[in-house]
Amino acid sequence: MCFCRVFLNVMWRQTDDNLSNVQTFTAAGKRLVLRNGSNPCEGHVEVFYNNEWGLVGDKLWSRETEEVVCRSTHCGKPVGNATENVRRPLDSKVWLNELQCNGSQKQLWDCDSPGWGISYYQKPFVRKITCSRNITFSLEGSRCAGAVRYSDRGTLAGYICNDNWGDDEARKLCEQLGCGGLKKRPTPGQMSGEAFQSLSGNMTLNCAGMNRIDNLWQCAAPASCQYPAAVICSDHESLRLTERCSGTLQKETNGKWEDVNDNNVSPDVRCQQMHCGGAHGNVTDSKLTCTDDVKVVLVNNNNDRCYGTVHAEINGIRKAVCGSSWTKQADVVCKELGCGTVNSVSTRSSSPGIMDFVECLGNELSLWHCEAKHGENLPCSRVPYIVCSASLKVRLADGGGRCAGRLEIKHEGQWKRVLQNQAWTNQHSNIICKQLKCGMGVVPENSVKYSQGSGSFLTVDCKSDISKKQKITACIITDSGNNGQSAVGITCEDHKALFLSGSCSGEVGIKNGSKTFWLSDVDWNQDVANTVCQQMHCGNAVPNTNSTSRADEMEVWSLSYNCSRNETSLFECANTTIPSDVNQNASIASVTCSGEIHLKLTKRCWGNVEISMEGKSGGICADTWTEDNSRMLCEEQGCENNVLKSLSLSPRQAEIMVLSLHAMQPTANLSQYNFIMKQDNDRTCQKPASVVCSGSIEPRFSVSRDSCSGSLELLYEESWLPVCTEALSDVDTRNTICRTLNCGQAIENSLDFGPTPASRQVITQIQCSTNATSLKECNVTSETRSCTLGVLKCSGWKTMVLEHDEPCKGEVVVYSAGKVSAVSSEGWTKNEGQRLCQDMTCGSPIQLEEKAPWPTDSFFNGSFSCAGKPQSIWECEKKVLPSEKKLFIECQNEAQVTLLQECHGELRINNTQVCNSQWKPDYSNRVCQELSCSNAMDFTEKGKPRPEGMYHHIHCDEYHFKLGQCRRVRGSCNSASLVEIVCVGSIKFSTTEKCGGNIQVSYRDKWKEVCIQKDLTIAMKHQLCQKMNCGNYNSSFNSRNTEEKQLEMSLECTDNHLDIKHCVKKKTCKRVPAEIYCQDYERPIIITEDEPSSVPIILGVSFLLVLLVVVAVGTRFYVTRRNRKLNPARMLPGKEMEFESGEYEDVVNRDDEMEDARGGRFRSDAEFFREDDRRSASSLPYDDIDEAIEAQPLNPPANTTRASNMQEDKVTYEVEDPPENYDDIDDITKAEVHDGPKPTADRDAAAAPPGPVPGGEDYLLPGQDG
């Protein structure tokens, strides 16, 4: 068995000891690391498999598991009592779980487990372990340059080999050492470690194909090599001078420039390092001047310093800077020259240059400080050509003013037109108007055509959000030549309108574009005032209308008007330009119209429409009231402008005062309408108009353990109505609701769980625009019917969870969007504990404790104090920063989760069945894992529940890893079924014959044959045989099945499966049933129909022989009886005894013939008569002999022939000796009955032999030994 085990490990795990020197990964690319610890030998376990990182769950975790982890990561042994739980992201992948290690495995995946990503794991935490080694890296030589070595707890342990040492590894090490990025990898052997040859612990790195490397030790494996790895990092003494080759000497350290005020290094060496020639003196007060004078310039033909080809001017001599595809380099140049930002970059051909391969970080003071190759005459094919934003100017030409005309941009020293194409929008025009301080750009319906001008066209490309651009020069501008159809023309704001500062009264104003002007009182009279009131639908002007004095900031309109009584609009009247000297001293015209009208709703934002005029109030007829009227009234009342349907069967009664209302012109105020009054005797309208504005709507979340999450209710006409899930289908609606509740943005919506409510008034539709800031701005529809209620989760959601292996106790944490926070114990009393336990459906609190936090814990920014009767723990929240002591609470109730049978059956919680309404497969996995039954195989619906029964309805969130933590409510289950679960732990295997035949699985206590879509691997076949205790798989037997069947179960194993139980699927298929034959298979003896059985023939012949013997014995018995009556019997003495008839010999001969035919047989002692027995028997009278014969034992039916012969022999003996006592006869009879051996089946089949001759050797006297 041990050999088989080793064989399986080799075949199944595909481990090759010859390749095991690289122990952190296999040929299949599997790797294991410890992450988020203080060193690479501490942290939680992560496994790299199938090009993806995943965690390791803690189900069945043991000390042996940790031993395998530490050994495979070259980290020694696990440190005792150092293992702890650490939190994990809930959406993180879990590759392995339910691991069963014995400590001897080389890799974690060699331990028994369900497989890769097979075992369900929902816990919010995993194990963090600490191994005995503490690995750190360093460079031999200086902090940021030298040979790479590693130490274990401060003691040098070995070097990293140059083999597999590449840029990625070198860059990672520089980052790990805090030395910036990679600057250079020296030639192998250039930097050799002093103790390299003497240490045996050298390692190689292989990080190929492995992302998310935190520490290079995660790639390490033992190796021997010729040279150690070496690196020079970017932070290795990076120097600069603030004025290129003079000024303050600075050194970059950890990304920051620090002044250098020492002469530890020769100033000449430092100047040469910075490509600035030699040095003029030493470093004094961090100042250093080098011999070369270096400038960076842009060269063009117009002497504009902000565009042109890039050159470096050294000691008055200009030389080109080579390069192409510049980005950050161009940024540095524009910034260095004080020319704004880069607008465009191109290239030009050039002669040899002085710099090439220029690489900048973007924060350099000069292009000369960037890393580059320097030389006197470098071959240079292209030179960068840069246009900086400071070289660009904007104007509007030929439009009669600076705020209108043809758009032109000064580009590379010339004014050029801008091409009008589809990419140009009003937003572009707005930017131009803002840039020219001409207000917003507006394109009128009848656009003004401007002169097209001449010259080249430019194209403008604003790739990022144009609304964020302050100037058009922030966009990319390129010369497109003369190929264009038309130039962009812009007219900045120009629009005018008449208004009154109040409703039906106030100063008369005129708005022109973005400016406001006021009408002067020049030529102002009663007729003009009446015209204004009529134009504003406010009746006539009150006589003696006065003007008002002009405030200093009020700008007067330059025209005056002369109206007659016939004009209805001020702009129809004749006008005159007012002289400027008169206009400056004029007052502002003011009017008070005769009408004063007010409209409102009786409940502010909903109710009957109420109008007040001339000291009276009443309603407006609903027959003439329109939707537009409702919308305007809602807006005027500050109740938004969306109108909802009233739920009232009839509006509240009110006295109708107005029959109809009519707008004289589009207006923003209903009080400016004309109204038709109802006569006293008019009974044509009895129903007043009523309005429900969206501004009357208020949302709330129903009471739950969550904040900013849950089912919704809306306050609609003073009633809280539930919201159906279809009402939340639009993302804008969801976002608006969340914003209204101060809960951020919507992140998720789902169905509510629990019994379906009966028909009632519900919210079925909510429509919000993208720009809506409140639910009051949305349209809402309500109906009377039943529906599935909706659940909404906002970005500001938070909920409390008790984290422990038992659902009703544990550390209290708050889950929120992207964050998990511990709850402080500060301020918690029994009151707060009572509220929380009730929220968790856990009864009352038993105890509250303080616990020390984990190092990685962050605390919830708030405390809790309950007063009164809060409906949720979140009503107790206080914005007070608490102390950092974790709260642990234990509640009295416990959710007992059970299945009716071991690992399968009907699900119950606290002995109550569960409704499958909205039940999810993940819930079944939680149940099976909680009951240590591995994963759920499936769940089924079990019959219809009782209509009057009460059942649990369940809803689990991702942070609930036990069913008892999930939300549950009790209710009817009329429209669903009950939950029944089958876990993988209930699966058993068998075959139709012993250790062979058709494969069967036990599913819900029934054996079912299976099909296989893809043939099982040899390893899986071995495993299947072993699970049935049948040894290993035997490949010498061929499949016998040929006929397809409709099957319910299948075996579907993938490369990720390591346990065949998890391959079982409840999936129908029509295929030949799967077979397997194991080493312990016993082939049964099969009698086929083609080979007739000989058993019936043997039985027939035997029956015939028995019949013949019976007939012969009967005949003999009859003859003997007759002769006994006719001739008195006589017995012969001793050996002279004779047979009375020769018929016996014939019978004996027939028996012999039968015996010969059967090949012989064994005889029993009872078949031999001893001589003394015959002598004793000779003294008996015939009748006594008959009695003795009758006392002999009965033989089974198979011995009928032999028994008949024996009776026949005994009755034919003749005896002369006088009778002896009957006791002897009894003894003989008893001896024959009790002492003789019982006949066997073989002996029963043969004929009885003749008895022995009296006086012979086998004949014994009674009581004498033979």
Side-chain angles (χ1 to χ4, degrees), residues 280-333:
H280 285 306
N282 294 325
V283 177
T284 305
D285 296 330
S286 299
K287 303 293 184 180
L288 178 65
T289 301
C290 299
T291 56
D292 288 345
D293 181 17
V294 177
K295 297 179 182 178
V296 175
V297 295
L298 294 176
V299 178
N300 57 72
N301 296 326
N302 294 316
N303 295 323
D304 190 325
R305 66 185 181 85
C306 290
Y307 76 92
T309 55
V310 184
H311 285 68
E313 187 176 288
I314 304 174
N315 300 325
I317 301 175
R318 290 180 179 176
K319 292 188 178 180
V321 176
C322 309
S324 61
S325 302
W326 272 25
T327 54
K328 292 183 179 180
Q329 301 93 323
D331 291 335
V332 171
V333 171

Side-chain angles (χ1 to χ4, degrees), residues 21-22 25 31 160-171 185 188 203-208 216 219-225 227-230:
N21 61 324
V22 181
F25 59 93
R31 310 204 180 196
I160 301 300
C161 293
N162 188 70
D163 303 341
N164 298 324
W165 180 253
D167 286 351
D168 290 339
E169 290 78 9
R171 188 177 296 107
R185 282 193 300 118
M203 309 286 281
T204 187
L205 301 180
N206 190 333
C207 303
L216 284 175
C219 309
S224 59
C225 51
Y227 300 111

Side-chain angles (χ1 to χ4, degrees), residues 523-535 539-541 560-575:
D523 297 329
W524 179 254
N525 56 38
Q526 186 67 35
D527 290 335
V528 176
N530 285 338
T531 302
V532 170
C533 285
Q534 291 171 10
Q535 184 175 345
N540 290 317
S560 66
Y561 297 90
N562 186 12
C563 301
S564 66
R565 295 184 179 181
N566 297 325
E567 287 87 4
T568 58
S569 171
L570 182 66
F571 301 116
E572 295 176 1
C573 302
N575 64 76

Side-chain angles (χ1 to χ4, degrees), residues 6-21:
V6 172
F7 173 77
L8 276 177
N9 285 337
V10 172
M11 295 298 294
W12 187 9
R13 309 294 186 184
Q14 299 180 353
T15 302
D16 188 346
D17 289 339
N18 293 328
L19 300 177
S20 63
N21 61 324

Side-chain angles (χ1 to χ4, degrees), residues 277-489:
H280 285 306
N282 294 325
V283 177
T284 305
D285 296 330
S286 299
K287 303 293 184 180
L288 178 65
T289 301
C290 299
T291 56
D292 288 345
D293 181 17
V294 177
K295 297 179 182 178
V296 175
V297 295
L298 294 176
V299 178
N300 57 72
N301 296 326
N302 294 316
N303 295 323
D304 190 325
R305 66 185 181 85
C306 290
Y307 76 92
T309 55
V310 184
H311 285 68
E313 187 176 288
I314 304 174
N315 300 325
I317 301 175
R318 290 180 179 176
K319 292 188 178 180
V321 176
C322 309
S324 61
S325 302
W326 272 25
T327 54
K328 292 183 179 180
Q329 301 93 323
D331 291 335
V332 171
V333 171
C334 289
K335 182 175 63 175
E336 179 180 0
L337 298 177
C339 291
T341 60
V342 176
N343 186 270
S344 64
V345 180
S346 56
T347 59
R348 301 285 190 272
S349 59
S350 176
S351 56
I354 195 171
M355 294 175 69
D356 198 0
F357 303 104
V358 182
E359 294 183 1
C360 301
L361 297 176
N363 59 357
E364 290 86 353
L365 297 178
S366 170
L367 185 70
W368 199 252
H369 294 156
C370 297
E371 293 184 3
K373 180 180 180 180
H374 290 257
E376 289 297 325
N377 292 293
L378 299 176
C380 188
S381 59
R382 307 297 291 176
V383 174
Y385 184 90
I386 301 175
V387 177
C388 301
S389 62
S391 68
L392 303 173
K393 304 290 186 293
V394 177
R395 73 182 182 185
L396 293 175
D398 298 336
R402 69 181 189 84
C403 291
R406 179 181 63 255
L407 175 63
E408 293 183 348
I409 297 177
K410 190 175 185 181
H411 182 263
E412 296 181 9
Q414 295 181 350
W415 288 101
K416 301 176 184 178
R417 300 172 292 173
V418 175
L419 180 65
Q420 176 75 61
N421 55 21
Q422 292 181 348
W424 187 270
T425 66
N426 283 348
Q427 287 184 304
H428 294 77
S429 299
N430 291 342
I431 294 175
I432 295 294
C433 288
K434 289 179 181 178
Q435 187 171 345
L436 294 175
K437 298 181 180 181
C438 289
M440 300 295 295
V442 177
V443 179
E445 294 181 3
N446 297 320
S447 300
V448 179
K449 293 185 178 180
Y450 299 105
S451 169
Q452 290 295 303
S454 62
S456 298
F457 280 98
L458 299 175
T459 57
V460 179
D461 184 6
C462 302
K463 293 185 176 180
S464 58
D465 187 357
I466 189 173
S467 64
K468 297 180 179 179
K469 305 292 185 184
Q470 298 298 319
K471 293 184 178 181
I472 202 69
T473 50
C475 303
I476 298 175
I477 299 173
T478 54
D479 194 331
S480 58
N482 292 318
N483 297 324
Q485 295 180 350
S486 62
V488 172

Side-chain angles (χ1 to χ4, degrees), residues 82-313:
T83 303
E84 59 181 341
N85 289 334
V86 292
R87 198 167 302 283
R88 72 176 181 94
L90 289 177
D91 58 351
S92 54
K93 182 86 172 180
V94 176
W95 270 130
L96 296 172
N97 190 34
E98 299 181 59
L99 286 164
Q100 298 183 68
C101 305
N102 58 26
S104 64
Q105 290 85 357
K106 291 182 178 179
Q107 296 291 344
L108 196 62
W109 44 82
D110 292 334
C111 303
D112 291 338
S113 75
W116 295 95
I118 303 297
S119 178
Y120 180 83
Y121 191 81
Q122 194 64 15
K123 284 187 178 181
F125 42 78
V126 291
R127 298 294 179 91
K128 175 186 176 183
I129 71 170
T130 302
C131 301
S132 57
R133 301 187 79 181
N134 187 335
I135 302 298
T136 55
F137 285 97
S138 63
L139 297 177
E140 188 174 277
S142 68
R143 192 178 72 84
C144 293
V148 184
R149 60 186 183 180
Y150 74 94
S151 301
D152 179 9
R153 298 191 177 276
T155 302
L156 181 63
Y159 288 81
I160 301 300
C161 293
N162 188 70
D163 303 341
N164 298 324
W165 180 253
D167 286 351
D168 290 339
E169 290 78 9
R171 188 177 296 107
K172 182 65 182 178
L173 180 61
C174 288
E175 294 171 358
Q176 192 171 321
L177 295 175
C179 289
L182 171 65
K183 186 174 183 180
K184 183 181 179 183
R185 282 193 300 118
T187 304
Q190 184 178 0
M191 294 183 175
S192 298
E194 295 179 0
F196 175 70
Q197 300 296 336
S198 61
L199 293 176
S200 61
N202 297 330
M203 309 286 281
T204 187
L205 301 180
N206 190 333
C207 303
M210 193 174 175
N211 55 21
R212 288 183 57 216
I213 300 300
D214 300 325
N215 191 293
L216 284 175
W217 191 255
Q218 295 168 343
C219 309
S224 59
C225 51
Q226 186 177 2
Y227 300 111
V231 64
I232 299 175
C233 300
S234 59
D235 283 0
H236 176 61
E237 194 69 10
S238 181
L239 300 174
R240 75 177 185 185
L241 287 165
T242 54
E243 301 296 332
R244 289 173 290 279
C245 287
S246 63
T248 302
L249 178 64
Q250 295 179 326
K251 177 178 66 175
E252 187 180 16
T253 304
N254 295 329
K256 296 181 179 180
W257 290 98
E258 300 175 349
D259 293 351
V260 177
N261 192 20
D262 64 67
N263 291 287
N264 297 332
V265 179
S266 168
D268 285 334
V269 172
R270 282 175 165 164
C271 286
Q272 292 171 6
Q273 182 179 337
M274 294 181 286
H275 309 286
C276 289
H280 285 306
N282 294 325
V283 177
T284 305
D285 296 330
S286 299
K287 303 293 184 180
L288 178 65
T289 301
C290 299
T291 56
D292 288 345
D293 181 17
V294 177
K295 297 179 182 178
V296 175
V297 295
L298 294 176
V299 178
N300 57 72
N301 296 326
N302 294 316
N303 295 323
D304 190 325
R305 66 185 181 85
C306 290
Y307 76 92
T309 55
V310 184
H311 285 68
E313 187 176 288

Side-chain angles (χ1 to χ4, degrees), residues 998-1064:
N998 293 355
I999 301 173
Q1000 295 178 317
V1001 297
S1002 174
Y1003 177 75
R1004 299 176 66 189
D1005 292 334
K1006 293 182 179 179
W1007 290 104
K1008 296 181 180 292
E1009 294 180 337
V1010 301
C1011 67
I1012 297 180
Q1013 303 291 342
K1014 179 183 177 182
D1015 193 23
L1016 298 177
T1017 63
I1018 296 297
M1020 278 298 183
K1021 291 179 180 179
H1022 284 317
Q1023 188 187 129
L1024 177 57
C1025 287
Q1026 291 171 0
K1027 285 187 180 293
M1028 296 186 294
N1029 297 318
C1030 291
N1032 285 335
Y1033 167 62
N1034 189 342
S1035 61
S1036 62
F1037 292 96
N1038 295 323
S1039 175
R1040 298 202 298 256
N1041 290 338
T1042 58
E1043 182 179 353
E1044 289 187 345
K1045 291 183 180 181
Q1046 191 70 32
L1047 303 173
E1048 299 179 28
M1049 311 297 291
S1050 64
L1051 278 177
E1052 298 181 1
C1053 293
T1054 67
D1055 293 340
N1056 291 342
H1057 284 90
L1058 301 179
D1059 187 340
I1060 196 169
K1061 278 188 176 183
H1062 289 263
C1063 301
V1064 179

Side-chain angles (χ1 to χ4, degrees), residues 715-994:
L715 182 63
Y716 198 117
E717 293 186 6
E718 297 182 340
S719 297
W720 288 102
L721 305 182
V723 178
C724 300
T725 184
E726 56 262 37
L728 302 175
S729 59
D730 180 66
V731 64
D732 291 330
T733 297
R734 299 195 297 270
N735 285 334
T736 301
I737 294 173
C738 289
R739 284 195 294 266
T740 303
L741 293 168
N742 296 318
C743 288
Q745 294 289 100
I747 58 175
E748 180 183 331
N749 69 301
S750 60
L751 302 178
D752 195 13
F753 73 105
T756 302
S759 178
R760 56 176 171 168
Q761 198 74 39
V762 293
I763 304 298
T764 57
Q765 188 176 38
I766 305 174
Q767 293 178 307
C768 301
S769 67
T770 304
N771 299 323
T773 59
S774 169
L775 189 65
K776 297 179 183 295
E777 302 173 26
C778 306
N779 281 318
V780 178
T781 303
S782 177
E783 300 178 53
T784 301
R785 64 179 176 89
S786 63
C787 71
T788 302
L789 303 184
V791 172
L792 179 64
K793 180 183 284 188
C794 307
S795 58
W797 74 272
K798 50 195 174 186
T799 187
M800 281 195 187
V801 178
L802 304 182
E803 289 193 342
H804 195 270
D805 286 337
E806 299 178 21
C808 283
K809 70 177 181 180
E811 295 175 355
V812 184
V813 297
V814 172
Y815 277 82
S816 56
K819 189 175 181 181
V820 183
S821 306
V823 173
S824 170
S825 61
E826 183 176 329
W828 278 77
T829 66
K830 188 175 182 180
N831 287 339
E832 290 73 30
Q834 180 75 29
R835 182 64 266 166
L836 179 58
C837 287
Q838 289 177 359
D839 286 350
M840 302 294 175
T841 322
C842 290
S844 299
I846 296 176
Q847 63 174 346
L848 287 81
E849 298 179 14
E850 285 187 354
K851 286 204 170 182
W854 295 343
T856 57
D857 276 337
S858 62
F859 275 80
F860 179 69
N861 188 21
S863 61
F864 296 85
S865 178
C866 296
K869 295 182 179 180
Q871 300 298 308
S872 166
I873 189 65
W874 294 109
E875 295 182 15
C876 308
E877 182 184 1
K878 309 296 179 185
K879 297 298 183 181
V880 177
L881 189 64
S883 63
E884 295 189 353
K885 287 287 187 180
K886 293 172 68 173
L887 173 65
F888 183 95
I889 188 170
E890 181 177 356
C891 307
Q892 64 183 177
N893 291 351
E894 194 65 59
Q896 297 295 330
V897 178
T898 57
L899 295 176
L900 198 59
Q901 295 169 283
E902 185 179 1
C903 291
H904 72 97
E906 176 187 281
L907 173 63
R908 291 174 180 258
I909 301 178
N910 295 335
N911 208 33
T912 298
Q913 295 163 294
V914 177
C915 184
N916 81 332
S917 173
Q918 299 183 40
W919 185 265
K920 297 179 181 179
D922 269 358
Y923 300 177
S924 300
N925 280 323
R926 284 175 171 86
V927 172
C928 292
Q929 285 288 342
E930 184 173 346
L931 298 177
S932 296
C933 294
S934 197
N935 288 1
M937 182 177 167
D938 68 355
F939 78 93
T940 58
E941 301 175 356
K942 183 183 178 184
K944 289 292 182 183
R946 293 176 286 107
E948 70 280 3
M950 299 295 286
Y951 303 92
H952 283 305
H953 295 256
I954 304 295
H955 174 80
C956 298
D957 290 307
E958 59 181 357
Y959 41 81
H960 297 141
F961 61 92
K962 281 183 173 284
L963 203 65
Q965 296 174 320
C966 303
R967 296 173 176 83
R968 63 181 185 273
V969 296
R970 284 168 61 91
S972 61
C973 189
N974 297 333
S975 61
S977 303
L978 303 180
V979 174
E980 182 174 319
I981 300 175
V982 178
C983 304
V984 172
S986 69
I987 298 298
K988 298 180 179 63
F989 293 96
S990 182
T991 49
T992 50
E993 301 166 18
K994 183 179 179 181

